[in-house]
Amino acid sequence: MSDALDPTPYDALLLLSFGGPEGPDDVVPFLENVTRGRGIPKERLKEVGQHYFLFGGVSPINDQNRALLDALRKDFAGHGLDLPVYWGNRNWAPYLTDTLREMVHDGRRRVLVLATSAYASYSGCRQYRENLADSLAALAAEGLELPRVDKLRHYFNHPGFVEPMTDGVLASLDDLPEDVRAGAHIAFTTHSIPTAAADTSGPAEEHGDGGAYVREHLDVARLIAEAVRERTGVDHPWQLVYQSRSGAPHIPWLEPDICDHLEERHAAGVPAVVMAPIGFVSDHMEVLYDLDTEAAAKAAELGLPVRRSATVGADPRFAAAVRDLVLERAARESGRAVTPCALGALGASHDLCPVGCCPARTARPAAAGADSPYA
């Protein structure tokens, strides 16, 4: 890549994440932020928040984002990339609007956004874009000059995302008892979403059974399974499964659930399972509780040996992938030739979310897309 360290026209990167409580008193207010507009009573939120209270009312996601922020800054500095990195959350401090306001006051005029969600879906992409639009609208109401905001493409198939997870699966297989290792099944897990949301994920031409959401996860799972086979000589059986379902029971969501899958695999005689959370960037609460607590308890009940592989977190290869994505987008925006880096069958994702991509049930303005009111 020519001009490899030139981020022009961008003058800042924004790490945009979900956020999480950092103490017991934060749990219910945090859940009120997450569920705002749904009319869920406080007593119900206290029940929902029990898995946070099991961990002292602290979600690990904020510390994980601090670690990623540090890794990005170190990688950029170590490679001579002069681009400041900020951090804002959708649902807890540091809040997105406050961070964008800080960026405006710092004179940032062209901002790239890295969302901590690698795949296409309403909750994993468009909802972040809606939050960006809400924050920009709030700053406009304050009379501030708005920056141009662009979102980095989906990075599910970038080598810097796939390779750390492959190493995690290999490490988990190595950690299994030798007598069950060769027969181990790999359960690639991701967040379950309503089937209607999955079917309409990605650009309109990709809508259909499972949409881009399922297709992208399957591509990553195949990549990892093939890499494991190449490096071990063992062709481990695998399946994409789901976790962390929420919402009304009468609404169809993606299945099978990981706990049901463990029961089914055990009944089929599988000697061990590696749970590989490919749908998540870091070991946040949905990994620690839904896999390390609930699914691990189910496996113990069954007498089924399981291991849970690591997410990418602040792996230096992921930080390097973000640098690559920043420079790739900067080159295209500046009219410089660039070849995007992507593994698998699907190729590099779009830079600009097209009209009709991952639609919401109720139409709302969304920034950083072809339908953005803040182009």
Side-chain angles (χ1 to χ4, degrees), residues 51 54-55 60 64 172 187 189 243-244 258-259 262 273-277 280 282-301 306-311:
H51 59 284
L54 288 175
F55 294 86
Q64 290 161 2
S172 292
T189 77
Q243 61 174 92
S244 312
I258 178 61
C259 290
L262 292 175
V273 173
V274 168
M275 301 182 293
F280 306 93
S282 66
D283 289 2
H284 51 57
M285 187 59 71
E286 287 167 318
V287 175
L288 295 185
Y289 184 78
D290 296 339
L291 293 183
D292 293 357
T293 305
E294 281 196 328
K298 173 57 68 174
E301 173 190 318
V306 295
R307 298 292 185 273
R308 195 268 294 171
S309 65
T311 53

mmCIF file of all heavy atoms in Angstrom, residues 51 54-55 60 64 172 187 189 243-244 258-259 262 273-277 280 282-301 306-311:
data_model
loop_
_atom_site.group_PDB
_atom_site.id
_atom_site.type_symbol
_atom_site.label_atom_id
_atom_site.label_comp_id
_atom_site.label_asym_id
_atom_site.label_seq_id
_atom_site.Cartn_x
_atom_site.Cartn_y
_atom_site.Cartn_z
ATOM 1 N N HIS A 51 -27.082 -11.789 36.627
ATOM 2 C CA HIS A 51 -25.792 -12.327 36.186
ATOM 3 C C HIS A 51 -24.683 -11.300 36.317
ATOM 4 O O HIS A 51 -23.517 -11.663 36.482
ATOM 5 C CB HIS A 51 -25.873 -12.886 34.762
ATOM 6 C CG HIS A 51 -26.299 -11.914 33.721
ATOM 7 N ND1 HIS A 51 -27.593 -11.506 33.571
ATOM 8 C CD2 HIS A 51 -25.600 -11.284 32.755
ATOM 9 C CE1 HIS A 51 -27.685 -10.673 32.564
ATOM 10 N NE2 HIS A 51 -26.483 -10.505 32.056
ATOM 11 N N LEU A 54 -23.628 -11.464 40.026
ATOM 12 C CA LEU A 54 -22.747 -12.598 40.309
ATOM 13 C C LEU A 54 -21.281 -12.227 40.167
ATOM 14 O O LEU A 54 -20.403 -12.869 40.752
ATOM 15 C CB LEU A 54 -23.074 -13.767 39.366
ATOM 16 C CG LEU A 54 -24.385 -14.518 39.603
ATOM 17 C CD1 LEU A 54 -24.600 -15.550 38.517
ATOM 18 C CD2 LEU A 54 -24.359 -15.198 40.982
ATOM 19 N N PHE A 55 -21.003 -11.196 39.360
ATOM 20 C CA PHE A 55 -19.637 -10.742 39.124
ATOM 21 C C PHE A 55 -19.385 -9.389 39.792
ATOM 22 O O PHE A 55 -18.601 -8.573 39.308
ATOM 23 C CB PHE A 55 -19.362 -10.645 37.622
ATOM 24 C CG PHE A 55 -19.376 -11.984 36.926
ATOM 25 C CD1 PHE A 55 -20.563 -12.533 36.467
ATOM 26 C CD2 PHE A 55 -18.196 -12.703 36.753
ATOM 27 C CE1 PHE A 55 -20.578 -13.767 35.828
ATOM 28 C CE2 PHE A 55 -18.206 -13.932 36.121
ATOM 29 C CZ PHE A 55 -19.393 -14.468 35.657
ATOM 30 N N PRO A 60 -17.047 -6.918 32.439
ATOM 31 C CA PRO A 60 -15.640 -6.809 32.037
ATOM 32 C C PRO A 60 -15.425 -5.980 30.788
ATOM 33 O O PRO A 60 -14.291 -5.656 30.451
ATOM 34 C CB PRO A 60 -15.235 -8.263 31.807
ATOM 35 C CG PRO A 60 -16.505 -8.953 31.439
ATOM 36 C CD PRO A 60 -17.590 -8.268 32.232
ATOM 37 N N GLN A 64 -11.949 -4.317 29.092
ATOM 38 C CA GLN A 64 -11.484 -4.895 27.833
ATOM 39 C C GLN A 64 -11.344 -3.827 26.757
ATOM 40 O O GLN A 64 -10.406 -3.858 25.942
ATOM 41 C CB GLN A 64 -12.440 -6.002 27.397
ATOM 42 C CG GLN A 64 -12.349 -7.229 28.295
ATOM 43 C CD GLN A 64 -13.548 -8.136 28.197
ATOM 44 O OE1 GLN A 64 -14.479 -7.887 27.423
ATOM 45 N NE2 GLN A 64 -13.550 -9.198 28.977
ATOM 46 N N SER A 172 -7.392 -24.650 22.978
ATOM 47 C CA SER A 172 -8.434 -25.365 23.710
ATOM 48 C C SER A 172 -8.404 -26.851 23.412
ATOM 49 O O SER A 172 -8.591 -27.685 24.310
ATOM 50 C CB SER A 172 -9.806 -24.782 23.364
ATOM 51 O OG SER A 172 -9.937 -23.466 23.864
ATOM 52 N N ALA A 187 -18.046 -26.233 18.673
ATOM 53 C CA ALA A 187 -19.307 -25.481 18.621
ATOM 54 C C ALA A 187 -18.956 -24.006 18.486
ATOM 55 O O ALA A 187 -18.508 -23.371 19.448
ATOM 56 C CB ALA A 187 -20.127 -25.729 19.885
ATOM 57 N N THR A 189 -19.938 -20.375 18.453
ATOM 58 C CA THR A 189 -21.090 -19.700 19.034
ATOM 59 C C THR A 189 -21.123 -18.222 18.668
ATOM 60 O O THR A 189 -20.089 -17.575 18.503
ATOM 61 C CB THR A 189 -21.115 -19.820 20.571
ATOM 62 O OG1 THR A 189 -20.170 -18.919 21.146
ATOM 63 C CG2 THR A 189 -20.809 -21.233 21.011
ATOM 64 N N GLN A 243 -26.340 -18.371 21.386
ATOM 65 C CA GLN A 243 -26.400 -18.157 22.828
ATOM 66 C C GLN A 243 -27.050 -16.812 23.112
ATOM 67 O O GLN A 243 -27.301 -16.024 22.193
ATOM 68 C CB GLN A 243 -24.984 -18.176 23.417
ATOM 69 C CG GLN A 243 -24.084 -17.086 22.852
ATOM 70 C CD GLN A 243 -22.735 -17.023 23.531
ATOM 71 O OE1 GLN A 243 -21.783 -17.655 23.092
ATOM 72 N NE2 GLN A 243 -22.657 -16.254 24.621
ATOM 73 N N SER A 244 -27.304 -16.551 24.385
ATOM 74 C CA SER A 244 -27.707 -15.220 24.860
ATOM 75 C C SER A 244 -29.047 -14.756 24.316
ATOM 76 O O SER A 244 -29.274 -13.558 24.154
ATOM 77 C CB SER A 244 -26.620 -14.185 24.532
ATOM 78 O OG SER A 244 -25.338 -14.633 24.899
ATOM 79 N N ILE A 258 -26.719 -23.097 22.684
ATOM 80 C CA ILE A 258 -25.509 -23.839 23.040
ATOM 81 C C ILE A 258 -25.782 -24.933 24.063
ATOM 82 O O ILE A 258 -25.260 -26.053 23.935
ATOM 83 C CB ILE A 258 -24.394 -22.883 23.532
ATOM 84 C CG1 ILE A 258 -23.142 -23.640 23.952
ATOM 85 C CG2 ILE A 258 -24.869 -21.974 24.632
ATOM 86 C CD1 ILE A 258 -22.481 -24.452 22.858
ATOM 87 N N CYS A 259 -26.618 -24.660 25.061
ATOM 88 C CA CYS A 259 -26.880 -25.695 26.075
ATOM 89 C C CYS A 259 -27.643 -26.874 25.479
ATOM 90 O O CYS A 259 -27.345 -28.045 25.777
ATOM 91 C CB CYS A 259 -27.623 -25.104 27.268
ATOM 92 S SG CYS A 259 -26.608 -23.985 28.265
ATOM 93 N N LEU A 262 -25.142 -28.886 23.470
ATOM 94 C CA LEU A 262 -24.286 -29.751 24.280
ATOM 95 C C LEU A 262 -25.016 -31.039 24.651
ATOM 96 O O LEU A 262 -24.431 -32.138 24.607
ATOM 97 C CB LEU A 262 -23.837 -29.009 25.543
ATOM 98 C CG LEU A 262 -22.875 -27.836 25.341
ATOM 99 C CD1 LEU A 262 -22.616 -27.136 26.673
ATOM 100 C CD2 LEU A 262 -21.565 -28.283 24.715
ATOM 101 N N VAL A 273 -16.189 -31.170 23.700
ATOM 102 C CA VAL A 273 -16.601 -30.023 22.878
ATOM 103 C C VAL A 273 -15.706 -28.828 23.184
ATOM 104 O O VAL A 273 -15.410 -28.554 24.354
ATOM 105 C CB VAL A 273 -18.079 -29.637 23.137
ATOM 106 C CG1 VAL A 273 -18.443 -28.347 22.402
ATOM 107 C CG2 VAL A 273 -19.008 -30.770 22.709
ATOM 108 N N VAL A 274 -15.299 -28.140 22.140
ATOM 109 C CA VAL A 274 -14.672 -26.824 22.279
ATOM 110 C C VAL A 274 -15.704 -25.781 21.879
ATOM 111 O O VAL A 274 -16.260 -25.843 20.776
ATOM 112 C CB VAL A 274 -13.418 -26.691 21.399
ATOM 113 C CG1 VAL A 274 -12.950 -25.230 21.338
ATOM 114 C CG2 VAL A 274 -12.302 -27.573 21.920
ATOM 115 N N MET A 275 -15.998 -24.867 22.775
ATOM 116 C CA MET A 275 -16.915 -23.757 22.483
ATOM 117 C C MET A 275 -16.079 -22.564 22.019
ATOM 118 O O MET A 275 -15.234 -22.061 22.766
ATOM 119 C CB MET A 275 -17.726 -23.385 23.726
ATOM 120 C CG MET A 275 -18.561 -24.517 24.285
ATOM 121 S SD MET A 275 -19.577 -24.041 25.727
ATOM 122 C CE MET A 275 -18.302 -23.732 26.959
ATOM 123 N N ALA A 276 -16.308 -22.144 20.794
ATOM 124 C CA ALA A 276 -15.514 -21.071 20.188
ATOM 125 C C ALA A 276 -16.423 -19.870 19.907
ATOM 126 O O ALA A 276 -17.192 -19.882 18.937
ATOM 127 C CB ALA A 276 -14.867 -21.545 18.894
ATOM 128 N N PRO A 277 -16.371 -18.817 20.744
ATOM 129 C CA PRO A 277 -17.281 -17.672 20.595
ATOM 130 C C PRO A 277 -16.839 -16.702 19.500
ATOM 131 O O PRO A 277 -16.393 -15.592 19.759
ATOM 132 C CB PRO A 277 -17.237 -17.031 21.983
ATOM 133 C CG PRO A 277 -15.876 -17.357 22.505
ATOM 134 C CD PRO A 277 -15.535 -18.714 21.952
ATOM 135 N N PHE A 280 -18.049 -12.753 19.062
ATOM 136 C CA PHE A 280 -17.766 -11.726 20.058
ATOM 137 C C PHE A 280 -16.315 -11.262 19.943
ATOM 138 O O PHE A 280 -15.412 -12.063 19.702
ATOM 139 C CB PHE A 280 -18.043 -12.275 21.459
ATOM 140 C CG PHE A 280 -19.429 -12.839 21.605
ATOM 141 C CD1 PHE A 280 -19.669 -14.192 21.400
ATOM 142 C CD2 PHE A 280 -20.499 -12.014 21.915
ATOM 143 C CE1 PHE A 280 -20.948 -14.711 21.516
ATOM 144 C CE2 PHE A 280 -21.782 -12.528 22.036
ATOM 145 C CZ PHE A 280 -22.015 -13.882 21.838
ATOM 146 N N SER A 282 -14.635 -9.646 22.498
ATOM 147 C CA SER A 282 -13.913 -9.807 23.755
ATOM 148 C C SER A 282 -14.697 -10.706 24.708
ATOM 149 O O SER A 282 -15.867 -11.023 24.477
ATOM 150 C CB SER A 282 -13.651 -8.444 24.408
ATOM 151 O OG SER A 282 -14.867 -7.828 24.803
ATOM 152 N N ASP A 283 -14.025 -11.101 25.795
ATOM 153 C CA ASP A 283 -14.638 -11.987 26.792
ATOM 154 C C ASP A 283 -15.525 -11.186 27.740
ATOM 155 O O ASP A 283 -15.266 -11.096 28.941
ATOM 156 C CB ASP A 283 -13.547 -12.695 27.602
ATOM 157 C CG ASP A 283 -12.795 -13.738 26.801
ATOM 158 O OD1 ASP A 283 -13.083 -13.898 25.604
ATOM 159 O OD2 ASP A 283 -11.907 -14.390 27.382
ATOM 160 N N HIS A 284 -16.597 -10.607 27.200
ATOM 161 C CA HIS A 284 -17.466 -9.795 28.039
ATOM 162 C C HIS A 284 -18.518 -10.671 28.722
ATOM 163 O O HIS A 284 -18.402 -11.900 28.743
ATOM 164 C CB HIS A 284 -18.092 -8.653 27.247
ATOM 165 C CG HIS A 284 -18.763 -9.084 25.975
ATOM 166 N ND1 HIS A 284 -19.763 -10.022 25.948
ATOM 167 C CD2 HIS A 284 -18.584 -8.691 24.687
ATOM 168 C CE1 HIS A 284 -20.183 -10.195 24.701
ATOM 169 N NE2 HIS A 284 -19.475 -9.401 23.917
ATOM 170 N N MET A 285 -19.530 -10.039 29.317
ATOM 171 C CA MET A 285 -20.445 -10.759 30.198
ATOM 172 C C MET A 285 -21.160 -11.911 29.496
ATOM 173 O O MET A 285 -21.369 -12.976 30.099
ATOM 174 C CB MET A 285 -21.469 -9.791 30.791
ATOM 175 C CG MET A 285 -22.357 -10.429 31.850
ATOM 176 S SD MET A 285 -21.418 -11.090 33.250
ATOM 177 C CE MET A 285 -20.882 -9.566 34.026
ATOM 178 N N GLU A 286 -21.531 -11.748 28.245
ATOM 179 C CA GLU A 286 -22.263 -12.814 27.565
ATOM 180 C C GLU A 286 -21.387 -14.037 27.330
ATOM 181 O O GLU A 286 -21.889 -15.142 27.169
ATOM 182 C CB GLU A 286 -22.868 -12.294 26.260
ATOM 183 C CG GLU A 286 -24.051 -11.371 26.512
ATOM 184 C CD GLU A 286 -24.465 -10.603 25.286
ATOM 185 O OE1 GLU A 286 -23.573 -10.123 24.571
ATOM 186 O OE2 GLU A 286 -25.674 -10.471 25.062
ATOM 187 N N VAL A 287 -20.090 -13.837 27.287
ATOM 188 C CA VAL A 287 -19.165 -14.968 27.203
ATOM 189 C C VAL A 287 -18.938 -15.565 28.595
ATOM 190 O O VAL A 287 -19.042 -16.783 28.791
ATOM 191 C CB VAL A 287 -17.832 -14.525 26.572
ATOM 192 C CG1 VAL A 287 -16.819 -15.669 26.592
ATOM 193 C CG2 VAL A 287 -18.049 -14.046 25.131
ATOM 194 N N LEU A 288 -18.664 -14.697 29.576
ATOM 195 C CA LEU A 288 -18.362 -15.183 30.922
ATOM 196 C C LEU A 288 -19.551 -15.874 31.574
ATOM 197 O O LEU A 288 -19.386 -16.862 32.295
ATOM 198 C CB LEU A 288 -17.890 -14.029 31.809
ATOM 199 C CG LEU A 288 -16.566 -13.356 31.433
ATOM 200 C CD1 LEU A 288 -16.196 -12.317 32.477
ATOM 201 C CD2 LEU A 288 -15.454 -14.376 31.283
ATOM 202 N N TYR A 289 -20.760 -15.347 31.345
ATOM 203 C CA TYR A 289 -21.928 -15.938 31.993
ATOM 204 C C TYR A 289 -22.552 -17.042 31.136
ATOM 205 O O TYR A 289 -22.726 -18.177 31.593
ATOM 206 C CB TYR A 289 -22.975 -14.875 32.307
ATOM 207 C CG TYR A 289 -24.161 -15.442 33.065
ATOM 208 C CD1 TYR A 289 -24.067 -15.711 34.427
ATOM 209 C CD2 TYR A 289 -25.355 -15.735 32.415
ATOM 210 C CE1 TYR A 289 -25.136 -16.264 35.126
ATOM 211 C CE2 TYR A 289 -26.428 -16.288 33.109
ATOM 212 C CZ TYR A 289 -26.316 -16.552 34.454
ATOM 213 O OH TYR A 289 -27.376 -17.103 35.134
ATOM 214 N N ASP A 290 -22.879 -16.729 29.893
ATOM 215 C CA ASP A 290 -23.621 -17.687 29.078
ATOM 216 C C ASP A 290 -22.799 -18.910 28.695
ATOM 217 O O ASP A 290 -23.353 -20.003 28.531
ATOM 218 C CB ASP A 290 -24.157 -17.002 27.818
ATOM 219 C CG ASP A 290 -25.157 -15.908 28.151
ATOM 220 O OD1 ASP A 290 -25.720 -15.946 29.255
ATOM 221 O OD2 ASP A 290 -25.360 -15.008 27.315
ATOM 222 N N LEU A 291 -21.488 -18.735 28.534
ATOM 223 C CA LEU A 291 -20.633 -19.873 28.203
ATOM 224 C C LEU A 291 -19.897 -20.403 29.426
ATOM 225 O O LEU A 291 -20.025 -21.572 29.788
ATOM 226 C CB LEU A 291 -19.629 -19.483 27.108
ATOM 227 C CG LEU A 291 -20.215 -19.174 25.734
ATOM 228 C CD1 LEU A 291 -19.101 -18.875 24.738
ATOM 229 C CD2 LEU A 291 -21.102 -20.290 25.212
ATOM 230 N N ASP A 292 -19.108 -19.537 30.082
ATOM 231 C CA ASP A 292 -18.260 -20.005 31.184
ATOM 232 C C ASP A 292 -19.056 -20.407 32.411
ATOM 233 O O ASP A 292 -18.554 -21.168 33.254
ATOM 234 C CB ASP A 292 -17.252 -18.921 31.573
ATOM 235 C CG ASP A 292 -16.243 -18.653 30.479
ATOM 236 O OD1 ASP A 292 -16.288 -19.345 29.439
ATOM 237 O OD2 ASP A 292 -15.413 -17.742 30.636
ATOM 238 N N THR A 293 -20.276 -19.905 32.547
ATOM 239 C CA THR A 293 -21.093 -20.242 33.712
ATOM 240 C C THR A 293 -22.210 -21.221 33.331
ATOM 241 O O THR A 293 -22.206 -22.373 33.754
ATOM 242 C CB THR A 293 -21.679 -18.967 34.347
ATOM 243 O OG1 THR A 293 -20.618 -18.055 34.660
ATOM 244 C CG2 THR A 293 -22.447 -19.299 35.624
ATOM 245 N N GLU A 294 -23.160 -20.769 32.505
ATOM 246 C CA GLU A 294 -24.325 -21.615 32.199
ATOM 247 C C GLU A 294 -23.965 -22.842 31.368
ATOM 248 O O GLU A 294 -24.336 -23.966 31.713
ATOM 249 C CB GLU A 294 -25.382 -20.784 31.469
ATOM 250 C CG GLU A 294 -26.215 -19.888 32.375
ATOM 251 C CD GLU A 294 -27.473 -19.401 31.686
ATOM 252 O OE1 GLU A 294 -27.442 -19.209 30.448
ATOM 253 O OE2 GLU A 294 -28.488 -19.207 32.375
ATOM 254 N N ALA A 295 -23.269 -22.625 30.247
ATOM 255 C CA ALA A 295 -22.948 -23.756 29.370
ATOM 256 C C ALA A 295 -21.965 -24.704 30.049
ATOM 257 O O ALA A 295 -22.070 -25.933 29.912
ATOM 258 C CB ALA A 295 -22.386 -23.263 28.036
ATOM 259 N N ALA A 296 -21.008 -24.142 30.801
ATOM 260 C CA ALA A 296 -20.062 -24.997 31.521
ATOM 261 C C ALA A 296 -20.780 -25.842 32.572
ATOM 262 O O ALA A 296 -20.433 -27.015 32.784
ATOM 263 C CB ALA A 296 -18.978 -24.145 32.166
ATOM 264 N N ALA A 297 -21.786 -25.263 33.225
ATOM 265 C CA ALA A 297 -22.560 -26.027 34.209
ATOM 266 C C ALA A 297 -23.342 -27.148 33.534
ATOM 267 O O ALA A 297 -23.445 -28.267 34.072
ATOM 268 C CB ALA A 297 -23.504 -25.098 34.966
ATOM 269 N N LYS A 298 -23.912 -26.863 32.371
ATOM 270 C CA LYS A 298 -24.629 -27.911 31.628
ATOM 271 C C LYS A 298 -23.682 -29.040 31.244
ATOM 272 O O LYS A 298 -24.029 -30.228 31.376
ATOM 273 C CB LYS A 298 -25.270 -27.306 30.382
ATOM 274 C CG LYS A 298 -25.902 -28.307 29.417
ATOM 275 C CD LYS A 298 -26.967 -29.169 30.067
ATOM 276 C CE LYS A 298 -28.186 -28.356 30.458
ATOM 277 N NZ LYS A 298 -29.256 -29.251 30.968
ATOM 278 N N ALA A 299 -22.473 -28.687 30.786
ATOM 279 C CA ALA A 299 -21.505 -29.716 30.405
ATOM 280 C C ALA A 299 -21.106 -30.562 31.620
ATOM 281 O O ALA A 299 -20.976 -31.791 31.520
ATOM 282 C CB ALA A 299 -20.283 -29.068 29.778
ATOM 283 N N ALA A 300 -20.922 -29.911 32.768
ATOM 284 C CA ALA A 300 -20.567 -30.644 33.989
ATOM 285 C C ALA A 300 -21.688 -31.597 34.397
ATOM 286 O O ALA A 300 -21.431 -32.736 34.826
ATOM 287 C CB ALA A 300 -20.262 -29.661 35.114
ATOM 288 N N GLU A 301 -22.918 -31.128 34.247
ATOM 289 C CA GLU A 301 -24.080 -31.977 34.548
ATOM 290 C C GLU A 301 -24.088 -33.217 33.659
ATOM 291 O O GLU A 301 -24.448 -34.323 34.103
ATOM 292 C CB GLU A 301 -25.351 -31.156 34.342
ATOM 293 C CG GLU A 301 -26.649 -31.907 34.443
ATOM 294 C CD GLU A 301 -27.828 -31.050 33.969
ATOM 295 O OE1 GLU A 301 -27.873 -29.853 34.315
ATOM 296 O OE2 GLU A 301 -28.680 -31.588 33.248
ATOM 297 N N VAL A 306 -15.507 -29.956 28.289
ATOM 298 C CA VAL A 306 -15.603 -28.801 27.399
ATOM 299 C C VAL A 306 -14.447 -27.846 27.697
ATOM 300 O O VAL A 306 -13.917 -27.807 28.800
ATOM 301 C CB VAL A 306 -16.939 -28.031 27.539
ATOM 302 C CG1 VAL A 306 -18.114 -28.870 27.113
ATOM 303 C CG2 VAL A 306 -17.113 -27.485 28.941
ATOM 304 N N ARG A 307 -14.094 -27.091 26.674
ATOM 305 C CA ARG A 307 -13.174 -25.986 26.823
ATOM 306 C C ARG A 307 -13.766 -24.814 26.036
ATOM 307 O O ARG A 307 -14.444 -25.014 25.037
ATOM 308 C CB ARG A 307 -11.778 -26.320 26.282
ATOM 309 C CG ARG A 307 -11.082 -27.464 26.996
ATOM 310 C CD ARG A 307 -10.713 -27.107 28.417
ATOM 311 N NE ARG A 307 -9.928 -28.166 29.068
ATOM 312 C CZ ARG A 307 -10.447 -29.201 29.708
ATOM 313 N NH1 ARG A 307 -11.776 -29.330 29.798
ATOM 314 N NH2 ARG A 307 -9.672 -30.113 30.275
ATOM 315 N N ARG A 308 -13.480 -23.612 26.526
ATOM 316 C CA ARG A 308 -13.953 -22.407 25.823
ATOM 317 C C ARG A 308 -12.747 -21.642 25.307
ATOM 318 O O ARG A 308 -11.873 -21.262 26.065
ATOM 319 C CB ARG A 308 -14.794 -21.538 26.762
ATOM 320 C CG ARG A 308 -15.618 -20.480 26.024
ATOM 321 C CD ARG A 308 -14.925 -19.167 25.883
ATOM 322 N NE ARG A 308 -14.709 -18.514 27.167
ATOM 323 C CZ ARG A 308 -13.970 -17.437 27.308
ATOM 324 N NH1 ARG A 308 -13.338 -16.904 26.280
ATOM 325 N NH2 ARG A 308 -13.793 -16.901 28.519
ATOM 326 N N SER A 309 -12.693 -21.428 23.990
ATOM 327 C CA SER A 309 -11.548 -20.738 23.397
ATOM 328 C C SER A 309 -11.677 -19.231 23.568
ATOM 329 O O SER A 309 -12.758 -18.699 23.829
ATOM 330 C CB SER A 309 -11.397 -21.107 21.921
ATOM 331 O OG SER A 309 -12.501 -20.647 21.170
ATOM 332 N N ALA A 310 -10.570 -18.549 23.413
ATOM 333 C CA ALA A 310 -10.509 -17.112 23.664
ATOM 334 C C ALA A 310 -11.054 -16.309 22.487
ATOM 335 O O ALA A 310 -10.996 -16.734 21.327
ATOM 336 C CB ALA A 310 -9.071 -16.687 23.945
ATOM 337 N N THR A 311 -11.577 -15.140 22.790
ATOM 338 C CA THR A 311 -11.908 -14.153 21.769
ATOM 339 C C THR A 311 -10.644 -13.359 21.439
ATOM 340 O O THR A 311 -9.594 -13.535 22.060
ATOM 341 C CB THR A 311 -13.005 -13.208 22.286
ATOM 342 O OG1 THR A 311 -12.584 -12.654 23.546
ATOM 343 C CG2 THR A 311 -14.326 -13.948 22.469
#
